[in-house]
Amino acid sequence: EHHSALRAAATRVAVLHAANFSLGAAALKRVLAAALAAVPASWDIEIVERHHRMKADAPSGTALALAEVARAARGAQTALRHGREGRVGARPDGEIGMHAVRGGSWVGDHAVLLAGAGESIEVRHVAESRAAFASGALAAARFVAGRPAGLYTLDHVLGD
C-alpha cells in the first residue's frame, strides 16, 4: 500500500525510496547482481542478516531487497526459505535461504553466501554506526533536490 502512495506522489514531486539509506548497502546490491551473473545458476544462495536485539522486523528490509536482487537474477518464482529447523531433508534447487539474527547492539550486518560445489563466495556489508544511514540520507537529499517529479532510488545517487 505504501509503495502505491509513493508512486502516486512521484507523479507530482521527486521521491527517493530506499529500504536502507546506507550507500554501502546500495553498492552491495550491485555487487551481488554482478556476482550472481558471474557464477553458475546451480550455486546456492543464503542471506544472513544481523541486527540489534530491539529490531522489530525480520527479515530486514535490506535482506528482502537483497533477496529481490537474487530473485531477479534467478527468476521471480525462486522460493524464499526463512530459516531451517528439524529434519528438512536436502536443500531444494532454486531456493534462497533467509536467516535473521537478533542480539546485542549490531547496527546492521548483511551477508550473502553463494555456494557452489567445493567453493563459495561471500559478499557482505556491515554498518558500524547509524551515521552511515544519515550520510546516505544526506546524499539522497542533495541528489533529489531540484529533480523533476519521478521515483528515484539510491542507484540514481550512486550513478547508473
Side-chain angles (χ1 to χ4, degrees):
E1 188 177 292
H2 70 278
H3 288 287
S4 294
L6 288 174
R7 284 190 297 277
T11 64
R12 299 181 307 280
V13 297
V15 174
L16 194 143
H17 176 263
N20 179 327
F21 275 89
S22 160
L23 296 178
L28 176 62
K29 288 171 47 180
R30 288 184 173 192
V31 169
L32 176 58
L36 286 167
V39 300
S42 61
W43 282 37
D44 299 322
I45 304 169
E46 296 284 321
I47 300 170
V48 181
E49 53 101 346
R50 299 188 299 183
H51 285 88
H52 54 88
R53 65 188 328 268
M54 302 306 289
K55 185 159 181 62
D57 62 324
S60 69
T62 302
L64 291 171
L66 292 168
E68 286 308 309
V69 171
R71 291 177 94 185
R74 296 288 173 85
Q77 299 307 312
T78 304
L80 297 181
R81 171 74 176 248
H82 296 275
R84 291 185 181 81
E85 181 180 0
R87 293 183 53 87
V88 297
R91 185 185 204 283
D93 291 339
E95 176 180 275
I96 298 173
M98 300 281 289
H99 309 279
V101 178
R102 298 290 178 267
S105 57
W106 290 309
V107 174
D109 184 336
H110 296 86
V112 183
L113 312 161
L114 306 177
E119 60 184 324
S120 64
I121 297 171
E122 179 176 344
V123 293
R124 182 175 178 200
H125 173 261
V126 178
E128 298 171 0
S129 163
R130 287 179 174 79
F133 309 118
S135 176
L138 288 172
R142 283 190 293 273
F143 173 85
V144 81
R147 297 273 173 182
L151 186 57
Y152 300 94
T153 69
L154 286 181
D155 275 335
H156 294 103
V157 175
L158 292 177
D160 289 326

